[in-house]
Amino acid sequence: MANLIIHNANLLSLHQGFKQDSGDTIAIEGNSIKAIGRWDELKSLVHAGTTVIDAGGKTVMPGFNDSHIHIWKVGNLKTFMLDVRSAGSLDEMLGMIRDYHWRNPDVSWITARGFNEAGWKDGRMPDKNDLDKVVNNKPVYVIRTCAHIAVANTRALEASNITANTPVPSGGMMYIGADRKPNGVFSETALGLVSKHIPAYTKSELKVMVKAARNELYSLGITAATDPAVDPLLLQAYYEMHEADELGFRLNAIPILLPDGGEKPYELPEYYSSDWFNVNTVKFFSDGGLSGKTAALKRYYKNTKEQGILRLQKEQYLQLGKAAMEKGLGLATHAIGDAAIEFVVDSYRQLTEIFPNTIKRIEHLGLPEEKHLETMAKYNMATSMQTIFISELGKNFRQYLDQEYLDQCYPVKSVLKHGILTALSSDAPVVSDLNPLKGTQAAVTRKDNEGYAVAPRESISVAEALKAYTINAAAIGNATQYGALQPGQLADLIILSHDPLKTAANELSHIKIERTFVDGKCVFQV
């Protein structure tokens, strides 16, 4: 007998062999899909306790899976951290910080995130002097939208004991002003010089953030997610939430091994697998981001002598990667620029000779070359990419990349053509809009929020994008029990206001999620 039946539905699933004309009804028993077929065939499963939903012809599909999203950071901007992503100018951001300071006099450190100076009129990176104008009696630390650059005020530098003589860790930059003193701007591993002095969040606070983010995930139809940079305290919080049945969504946690500004790696985590919570991969950062010109390139960023930063040391990377794989853990490495991608692909190739069957993911894959894609395909490397970057960061890409780079930026079509397992994701809160349908729209139209096309020949179909947000996203996390509508799969599904396959590409983000189900239970309804 079924406890939930949805009928009169347009069933949409992206797994091989699925046919849309195979039925209009889905039956759920317990927490899994029992059957799919015609209403006349399945109505016998209805009993006194069955919830029956007439979908009115609307589309039912598997819940979305965001394969790269910093869940607690999304929640942090809703709870404890100031969100400055909406600031349209430096003055507006400074005003937001000043107002926050007045409203929260008891906060010992002011932390904020989200500015993107490329969208401001003068395009200037803020420094300590700007922050000092609005707050000079307590530390202020403002993270750029990419999270690879941050700015500290004078009090934050003093609290962190930073001077011009402070040693900068490998793979990082501390910028110096005209007075030959630190100007408050830090990038990559050097962020740790300041961030390690900020009072740490407690496990209780981290759990509050995760729950705050979860509500947004539900509203966007996201039923599974991967947090790709988990430190030891957050990992403990996730384990405790899992054990207390407080997660409420499928979570793949990827612990980070090398902390920013630290020389000693974190302890390797243990492999863990369940329907709700998985720890099967560890994370490395090989470079920064394109939007802040810290991704490692072979050529210069346009009109500069900058090539970004390569963060990893080859010997240590291979050593730590080998140790992780010996424990059954896979590797996920952030690599955006072509120089970083080449470094990671070559390292993965070497490790594949010893561990041919372990997970090897490249996070982002912003500027791969043809030879990189050929090697990835040959050695079974996968990727989680972010077409949503084109929407929100396209202006940065157009400003910082030469035409040759721009034409190969986030080349999803080329990646899929090589047969590489590809998932799509948001990397939120790097972007403010983490809606998978907006990411799908960007994957199809390849247009930024100002209407400019970025590498339009790399456009993919709506079906390909939806597959990358569902069954491919499950596969890249080594999950086979969800991601499709078929008997035996866990009952994580969504009801949409319109069929995305019959919606104009530029209207995809206007589709609404009407209901979200996790484990056969409705967790969101408009």
Side-chain angles (χ1 to χ4, degrees), residues 167-478:
V168 179
S170 174
M173 288 282 292
M174 179 176 72
Y175 295 82
I176 303 299
D179 60 359
R180 297 185 179 181
K181 296 180 181 179
N183 70 357
V185 181
F186 300 83
S187 66
E188 301 304 331
T189 60
L191 269 62
L193 296 175
V194 179
S195 63
K196 66 184 178 182
H197 294 280
I198 300 173
Y201 292 115
T202 66
K203 277 193 293 186
S204 295
E205 289 171 333
L206 290 169
K207 292 175 184 178
V208 169
M209 298 176 204
V210 173
K211 291 176 182 178
R214 181 180 64 197
N215 292 333
E216 183 171 3
L217 299 185
Y218 286 163
S219 71
L220 297 173
I222 299 170
T223 58
T226 294
D227 192 325
V230 176
D231 69 18
L233 186 66
L234 179 60
L235 186 61
Q236 290 179 28
Y238 279 148
Y239 266 114
E240 290 180 9
M241 293 183 75
H242 168 55
E243 291 167 359
D245 293 325
E246 292 179 347
L247 278 176
F249 59 95
R250 316 290 173 191
L251 174 62
N252 182 25
I254 302 184
I256 190 170
L257 286 193
L258 292 170
D260 281 344
E263 297 180 359
K264 184 179 179 182
Y266 290 132
E267 184 178 346
L268 278 168
E270 296 298 322
Y271 180 96
Y272 183 83
S273 178
S274 73
D275 284 345
W276 286 101
F277 183 58
N278 290 284
V279 180
N280 57 26
T281 310
V282 293
K283 175 71 175 293
F284 295 92
F285 287 88
S286 72
D287 69 344
L290 287 177
S291 72
K293 297 181 291 184
T294 58
L297 305 187
K298 292 183 177 181
R299 300 194 303 277
Y300 293 124
Y301 284 93
K302 190 165 62 174
N303 301 323
T304 77
K305 292 296 183 181
E306 300 174 63
Q307 290 181 270
I309 301 171
L310 191 61
R311 295 175 50 148
L312 291 172
Q313 302 296 317
K314 188 70 168 281
E315 185 177 345
Q316 183 189 39
Y317 181 43
L318 291 174
Q319 180 183 9
L320 290 173
K322 183 174 182 291
M325 289 181 163
E326 286 173 344
K327 293 189 69 171
L329 298 164
L331 305 184
T333 307
H334 170 122
I336 293 181
D338 52 357
I341 292 169
E342 187 157 304
F343 175 90
V344 174
V345 166
D346 184 64
S347 300
Y348 278 2
R349 180 188 56 78
Q350 293 180 54
L351 289 168
T352 300
E353 295 174 359
I354 311 171
F355 305 97
N357 299 317
T358 53
I359 297 170
K360 288 173 285 292
R361 301 171 48 150
I362 296 181
E363 306 303 298
H364 309 301
L365 199 70
L367 293 170
E369 299 175 357
E370 173 69 18
K371 66 178 182 179
H372 301 150
L373 300 183
E374 291 173 355
T375 303
M376 288 179 67
K378 180 177 179 179
Y379 291 95
N380 200 30
M381 303 173 197
T383 183
S384 176
M385 303 179 75
Q386 296 77 33
T387 50
I388 189 66
F389 285 178
I390 294 169
S391 296
E392 295 198 20
L393 303 175
K395 182 175 182 178
N396 298 66
F397 300 162
R398 290 186 286 110
Q399 182 174 333
Y400 298 149
L401 299 177
D402 63 35
Q403 193 60 50
E404 185 178 349
Y405 271 141
L406 199 59
D407 287 342
Q408 70 180 86
C409 190
Y410 289 93
V412 183
K413 183 176 182 179
S414 295
V415 176
L416 289 175
K417 184 178 178 180
H418 281 78
I420 296 166
L421 176 61
T422 305
L424 291 180
S425 55
S426 69
D427 198 20
V430 170
V431 295
S432 57
D433 190 345
L434 53 98
N435 183 357
L437 289 163
K438 179 67 172 179
T440 297
Q441 179 174 311
V444 178
T445 68
R446 302 289 303 194
K447 289 185 177 180
D448 67 18
N449 286 343
E450 294 185 349
Y452 292 94
V454 176
R457 67 184 181 186
E458 292 296 340
S459 169
I460 61 175
S461 70
V462 174
E464 287 172 322
L466 294 177
K467 184 177 181 181
Y469 268 114
T470 54
I471 194 164
N472 282 10
I476 199 175
N478 204 30

Side-chain angles (χ1 to χ4, degrees), residues 3 29 31-32 37 56 88 111 116 118 142 210-211 280-281 332 381 419 456 475:
N3 50 282
E29 183 177 74
N31 68 343
S32 63
T111 58
N116 183 0
V142 187
V210 173
K211 291 176 182 178
N280 57 26
T281 310
M381 303 173 197

Side-chain angles (χ1 to χ4, degrees), residues 59-64 221 223 492-496 513 515-517:
T59 298
V60 174
M61 63 175 285
F64 292 121
T223 58
D492 301 345
L493 47 94
I494 54 179
I495 301 178
L496 294 78
I513 304 301
R515 301 197 201 198
T516 300
F517 297 84

